[in-house]
Structures are given as structure tokens and as C-alpha cells.
Amino acid sequence: MKLYVLLFTVFILIQYSDSRYVDWLPQNLVDRFTNKTSQITNYVREKGRSLKQFYVENVRNRITSYLTFNQTELNDKPTRMKRKFHDYLEDARATDKKVFDVIAPEKIEHPCNDNDPGIHMTTPQLIALHGYPSESHTVVTSDGYILTLHRIPYSKNSTKMSPRKTALLHHGLLGSSADWIIPGPEKGLPYILSEAGYDVWLANVRGNTYSKAHVSLNTDTFEFWNFTFHEVSQYDLPAVIDYIMDIKGWDAKINYIGHSMGTTVLFAMLSTKTHYNKVLRAGFALAPVAYMTDIKSPIHLLAKYSDNLGYLLKLLGANEFLPANAVLRWLSKHACEINQLEEAICENSMFVLCGHDEKQFNKSLLPLILSHDPAGASTKTLIHYAQEIRTAGRFQQFDYGPEGNLKQYGTPSPPQYPVHKITLPIALISSQNDWLASDVDVTNLYVQLVNPIEHYIVPLKEFNHVDFLWAIDARKLVYDKLLDLLEEGVSNPSPYTLQQLD
Ligand SMILES: *[C@@H]1O[C@H](CO)[C@@H](O)[C@H](O)[C@H]1NC(C)=O
Ligand SMILES: *[C@@H]1O[C@H](CO)[C@@H](O)[C@H](O)[C@H]1NC(C)=O
Ligand SMILES: *[C@@H]1O[C@H](CO)[C@@H](O)[C@H](O)[C@H]1NC(C)=O
Ligand SMILES: *[C@@H]1O[C@H](CO)[C@@H](O)[C@H](O)[C@H]1NC(C)=O
Ligand SMILES: *[C@@H]1O[C@H](CO)[C@@H](O)[C@H](O)[C@H]1NC(C)=O
């Protein structure tokens, strides 16, 4: 069976690879494995089981173990194919060929509805399309990254800028400012906030569609992509906050609203650059990610390898975490039911990593989502998250290994973020079906906050990580509550009250 697994993997590699890298595989072998794959699919179907379940039980764990490159075992059971596969990967490593970059296909084309003009529009264009004033601002960080900040300064019907409360929205991993506005003016959080009297700013993290630029570094160098959420918390976020304060005056109190990684960078910043606890008004964390002990996302598969940096970087592509990454495509292909819509969703790494909730998902948004997400992230960020999972319970800086850490931090293990130094009033909003931010982890974070506002759990069991952005009932289930918290939650921090369900 193990051999099948290997062949399976090779098959997937072949599918997406440039033939010159695999010319050692005879065509009839390729045909055989193509046949084998469809046989497996049919077999699983006939047994009336879901492919996803089959994948989890039979394939995922085996491939995971196969990829550990157990040299001893390879010598013990020298099969030709195993060795070739091994050599192939070793060769890629040794010659620094970006094999895994190369084999990732170009942007995937989906049979999506082309009639929606929005799929070709940028965030400010989409905002303008719906009749809202929209602005773009350029912010340069102290380490030279050029970020774009989007803004809805005032609402549709107010003709001039009266003093407005300030909200800064920060998207999550693989996302961009577009994430927030995709549901349109009735349902998108920025529009709702705008109508409620807020001056809305939308951040874009370094490396994403709108912030892929640097004053001196080329965007195709490792130096450019050599960052994780730590650098975002140390450079991007402070630069963005300072910029908004410069424009609005230093008495403007910014309400920070983050989703997913947008919350990680907030916690990392507040615990290390502590004066920002006094600068912001309050933090509102949707699907908060700090501790990662209870993770359902396939990202946890990477955790096992997260101490082998060289290998992971090679496997995933050293620089940008490619949207159509071969490994991710492999995961998605086998983690999902195969029908056209599901496949389109699954091939999108955002859904692969974050899960998918059919009930709350508005399929009409799919063309827009697929055209804007994933918006880009560094592989190093993904590895950083994988490390947090491996060291369950430690919310810490990037792990370079004992020697590297000594050089980087002066200690054998990376420093933890001192969460107890976060004094900003913070509300956590989480859900039960979140593959990345589980009840356990969010509660653990909540009890450590010095100034907690509330831990609100979305009262719908299926609600998942991306539902915070796009769920059909996001307004009713999350945003109404968020508006209440924004209005009244800060001055009067309530004691620890974990909202009970049912
Ligand atoms: C796969 O192999 C089986 C058994 O050898 C054969 O009957 C079948 O036609 C093959 N299918 C395809 C698609 O080649
Ligand atoms: C490698 O495989 C051998 C033989 O199967 C086994 O005894 C050994 O524990 C394995 N090593 C690792 C690191 O998994
Ligand atoms: C904005 O103005 C339009 C037309 O004047 C009106 O139909 C709409 O209800 C107004 N919207 C809000 C949120 O006040
Ligand atoms: C990558 O970043 C780390 C941490 O900032 C730094 O120590 C290292 O020198 C950088 N490597 C390269 C090649 O730029
Ligand atoms: C789904 O999205 C479309 C396009 O934005 C919107 O017109 C429609 O009202 C949404 N449906 C639901 C149930 O939210």
C-alpha cells in the first residue's frame, strides 16, 4: 500500500510538473497511475464513503509518513521508485532548483461567471462601483516595504467629512483588503461601519496583491519574502497606525478590527511594542489566532516538518507561498469531493487551509473570491504558523533551530510573545467550527488578557474561519454584535463572561 501512496504522489507531481523534470518516468507508468487514481476514486465512491474521509484515513497519514525521508528505511527496503523519488527531491535541494516553484501551474482558470465586472476590479474600484468614496494611501515601512492602505472616508450619503470615529480593518493570512468588501454594500463590514459613522481604513500586509513592493528589494528575491507575521507586527502595523494618526491627529482613537492573522499581528505588536496599547482605542479580534493547540486545518500537516526549514522551503517554494502550490493542490485534490464547484473551492488555498461551510456560503460570491484570493503570503509565514502548532501552547517568534536562535535571539529557543503585557481592551469573537481558532485556544488567550471586553462565540455551530468575512448571515451573527461592542464595550469592560450556547 505504501508504494501506492508514493505512486500517487508521483502522479500528482507529474500532473503539474514540467516534463523535463520527470523524464525518468516512462509514459506507460504514468498511464498506469492515472488509471490507478481513477480506480481509487471509483472504489471509494462504490463503497459509499466520502473521498475526504478516505483521504484522511488512508492517504494523508501515509503520505505524511512517506515524506519524512527515513534514510534508514530507504536503505532497508531499496525499491527503485522510492529511491528515485528520494533522489529527485534531494537533487532539487542540492542544486537549488526551484522545482516546486516551477511545477506549480500558472493561475488556475475556473469556469466562473465572467459577467461579474468585479472580478477584474481592485478594492478601491469595487468600493467606488457601489457609490462609496474610496481612497488609496501609500505607506512605507521603516524596513522599506511599500504598503497600500485603502479607505472609505465617509458614507455614501454624507457629502462632506464630518468628524468620524476610526476603524482599522486587518485581513488574515493569504488575504487582502478586498476580503472585507467582497460581500457588497449590504453585507460587507466596511460598508456597514461606514453607514454607522466610521472612517474605515483597510490594511494590506506586505507581500499581498496591493503591497508587493519594496524601495530596494526585488519581489522575486528571498530577501523580499524573508518575513513572517512577526515583521508585520513590528513594521507594517506600526507604520499603518502612525500614518493614520498623522492624517487624523493624535487624538484619533483607532478601533482595530482584525481577522485571523490580522489578530495575530495585533497580539504580537501589543505585547512587544507596548505603547500601542495606549494609542489604539480597543481591539476586536474575529477568529483570533495566537495559541494553536487544537487545529483542524491541513496546515497542521506541515507542523511535523517545521523544524526542517530547508526542506519545507523547498517543498513549498522558498519565497512567495504560491496560490497554486503543487503541495496545496495535492492536498486540495484529495481533501475534497470532486464536483466542479467543490473543486474550484478546494483548489483555492484559502479554503483548503481555512475550511468551508456550505450552509453559510453564498455561491454567487465565488467568482469574486476566487479572483481576489489568495492574495499572497510568504512561505515563511506559513511555516511560522506550523511551528506554533508543533510547539502547542507557545505563541512565539520564528524558530531558527537551536543554533540559529542563539544567533538571532541570544537564546536556544525563540522568545514567546508576552501576552500579559497586552493592556488594550480586547474583545474576542470566535466560532466552534473554526479550523484555525478553536474554542480551547481562544479561551486560553482570553483568560490571559488584562483588559478583556468579552468573549463572544458565534451562535451557529457550522460557522467557520472564512464565514467571518463572507457568511450569508455574518451581519446578524457577528457584525451587529461587533457594532454593539464598538459602541459600548470599551468604557465598561465586563468581567469574564463566556457566552454559552443553546
Ligand atoms: C484501467 O485499467 C483497467 C484494468 O487494466 C482497464 O480495464 C481499464 O480500461 C483502464 N482504464 C483506463 C481509463 O485506461
Ligand atoms: C526509520 O525506519 C526504521 C526502520 O523502519 C525505524 O526503525 C526508525 O525508527 C525510523 N526512524 C525514524 C526517525 O522514523
Ligand atoms: C442614501 O440616499 C439614497 C437616495 O437619496 C437613499 O435611497 C438611501 O436610503 C440612503 N441611504 C442611507 C443609508 O441613508
Ligand atoms: C532573514 O531574516 C532574518 C531575521 O530578520 C535575518 O536574520 C536573516 O539574515 C535574513 N536572511 C536573509 C537571507 O536576508
Ligand atoms: C449573495 O451574493 C449576491 C452578490 O453579492 C447578493 O446579491 C445576494 O443577495 C447574496 N445572497 C445572500 C443569500 O446573501
Side-chain angles (χ1 to χ4, degrees), residues 440-489:
V440 180
D441 292 329
V442 177
T443 304
N444 181 20
L445 174 66
Y446 190 75
V447 295
Q448 296 190 54
L449 294 175
V450 175
N451 266 316
I453 299 173
E454 184 172 332
H455 176 192
Y456 173 75
I457 298 175
V458 178
L460 180 71
K461 271 207 152 51
E462 294 81 15
F463 208 83
N464 82 354
H465 202 69
V466 295
D467 280 340
F468 286 94
L469 300 168
W470 305 319
I472 288 169
D473 296 322
R475 178 164 198 160
K476 193 175 80 194
L477 293 168
V478 179
Y479 300 159
D480 284 347
K481 176 70 184 181
L482 180 61
L483 285 177
D484 287 349
L485 290 171
L486 276 162
E487 290 308 311
E488 53 189 88

Side-chain angles (χ1 to χ4, degrees), residues 172-173 259-264 286-289 292 297 350-351 353-357 385 431-438 462-471:
L173 183 65
H259 173 241
S260 178
M261 188 183 74
T263 70
T264 313
L286 311 180
V289 180
M292 303 180 83
S297 161
M350 193 127 165
F351 289 108
L353 294 178
C354 301
H356 171 53
D357 162 18
Y385 274 119
S431 69
Q432 293 190 307
N433 182 34
D434 193 324
W435 286 12
L436 286 163
S438 72
E462 294 81 15
F463 208 83
N464 82 354
H465 202 69
V466 295
D467 280 340
F468 286 94
L469 300 168
W470 305 319

Side-chain angles (χ1 to χ4, degrees), residues 162-384:
S162 46
R164 287 188 150 241
K165 296 164 281 187
T166 311
L168 169 60
L169 273 57
H170 201 299
H171 63 81
L173 183 65
L174 297 166
S176 77
S177 56
D179 295 358
W180 301 103
I181 59 162
I182 278 173
E186 304 299 323
K187 304 207 165 190
L189 182 57
Y191 300 111
I192 293 170
L193 287 170
S194 185
E195 293 302 340
Y198 286 84
D199 173 13
V200 182
W201 297 77
L202 308 166
N204 280 297
V205 77
R206 59 180 59 190
N208 89 1
T209 314
Y210 301 107
S211 299
K212 200 181 283 186
H214 190 277
V215 292
S216 61
L217 297 176
N218 250 321
T219 57
D220 59 359
T221 59
F222 178 70
E223 283 73 19
F224 180 88
W225 293 103
N226 183 18
F227 63 83
T228 81
F229 58 73
H230 179 74
E231 282 71 28
V232 176
S233 76
Q234 301 301 297
Y235 302 105
D236 293 20
L237 208 44
V240 164
I241 292 170
D242 291 356
Y243 180 88
I244 296 174
M245 305 294 270
D246 278 345
I247 295 230
K248 299 207 62 165
W250 281 82
D251 53 348
K253 284 285 187 184
I254 298 174
N255 293 285
Y256 184 98
I257 301 169
H259 173 241
S260 178
M261 188 183 74
T263 70
T264 313
V265 296
L266 176 71
F267 302 136
M269 179 188 73
L270 293 176
S271 61
T272 50
K273 293 183 170 290
T274 50
H275 68 279
Y276 282 100
N277 285 294
K278 300 246 156 37
V279 172
L280 299 175
R281 173 174 174 263
F284 302 87
L286 311 180
V289 180
Y291 301 106
M292 303 180 83
T293 64
D294 185 17
I295 303 295
K296 279 190 242 145
S297 161
I299 195 178
H300 81 253
L301 288 176
L302 300 179
K304 193 165 169 185
Y305 311 114
S306 60
D307 53 353
N308 189 345
L309 280 189
Y311 169 60
L312 261 192
L313 287 173
K314 189 50 73 184
L315 193 62
L316 298 173
N319 301 341
E320 180 171 11
F321 180 71
L322 289 175
N325 183 283
V327 175
L328 252 252
R329 288 197 51 147
W330 179 84
L331 282 173
S332 61
K333 212 155 182 100
H334 298 98
C336 293
E337 298 288 344
I338 309 298
N339 70 53
Q340 208 177 47
L341 178 72
E342 286 279 322
E343 197 171 88
I345 292 170
C346 284
E347 277 181 359
N348 190 300
S349 46
M350 193 127 165
F351 289 108
V352 175
L353 294 178
C354 301
H356 171 53
D357 162 18
E358 195 164 358
K359 272 193 208 148
Q360 281 292 316
F361 187 63
N362 181 350
K363 293 181 173 64
S364 321
L365 298 180
L366 197 56
L368 258 186
I369 292 172
L370 294 178
S371 63
H372 287 92
D373 284 297
S378 72
T379 296
K380 198 174 173 185
T381 307
L382 235 86
I383 295 177
H384 195 170

Side-chain angles (χ1 to χ4, degrees), residues 44-244:
V44 172
R45 289 260 167 80
E46 276 165 22
K47 295 274 172 200
R49 293 165 59 199
S50 86
L51 206 54
K52 176 175 177 175
Q53 198 187 352
F54 177 83
Y55 154 79
V56 170
E57 290 169 5
N58 295 289
V59 183
R60 191 174 73 181
N61 297 340
R62 288 162 205 250
I63 299 258
T64 305
S65 76
Y66 191 80
L67 285 174
T68 49
F69 292 132
N70 186 335
Q71 192 66 50
T72 328
E73 204 177 356
L74 277 172
N75 289 333
D76 287 352
K77 303 174 195 166
T79 68
R80 209 165 64 88
M81 282 304 297
K82 258 190 180 182
R83 192 161 286 287
K84 285 215 160 170
F85 184 61
H86 181 77
D87 291 349
Y88 165 68
L89 292 173
E90 281 300 314
D91 180 53
R93 245 200 285 206
T95 58
D96 203 35
K97 261 192 249 156
K98 288 200 178 130
V99 174
F100 287 92
D101 287 0
V102 172
I103 65 178
E106 295 296 301
K107 198 166 172 59
I108 310 163
E109 296 297 333
H110 293 289
C112 285
N113 182 5
D114 257 339
N115 300 331
D116 188 343
I119 66 173
H120 302 298
M121 288 188 181
T122 62
T123 299
Q125 287 170 336
L126 278 170
I127 295 170
L129 178 73
H130 293 300
Y132 283 78
S134 93
E135 296 176 3
S136 288
H137 297 254
T138 303
V139 181
V140 181
T141 67
S142 60
D143 60 348
Y145 286 81
I146 302 170
L147 314 177
T148 303
L149 197 51
H150 294 132
R151 183 189 190 188
I152 306 177
Y154 46 95
S155 65
K156 211 169 181 168
N157 287 356
S158 60
T159 46
K160 70 176 180 63
M161 265 179 91
S162 46
R164 287 188 150 241
K165 296 164 281 187
T166 311
L168 169 60
L169 273 57
H170 201 299
H171 63 81
L173 183 65
L174 297 166
S176 77
S177 56
D179 295 358
W180 301 103
I181 59 162
I182 278 173
E186 304 299 323
K187 304 207 165 190
L189 182 57
Y191 300 111
I192 293 170
L193 287 170
S194 185
E195 293 302 340
Y198 286 84
D199 173 13
V200 182
W201 297 77
L202 308 166
N204 280 297
V205 77
R206 59 180 59 190
N208 89 1
T209 314
Y210 301 107
S211 299
K212 200 181 283 186
H214 190 277
V215 292
S216 61
L217 297 176
N218 250 321
T219 57
D220 59 359
T221 59
F222 178 70
E223 283 73 19
F224 180 88
W225 293 103
N226 183 18
F227 63 83
T228 81
F229 58 73
H230 179 74
E231 282 71 28
V232 176
S233 76
Q234 301 301 297
Y235 302 105
D236 293 20
L237 208 44
V240 164
I241 292 170
D242 291 356
Y243 180 88
I244 296 174

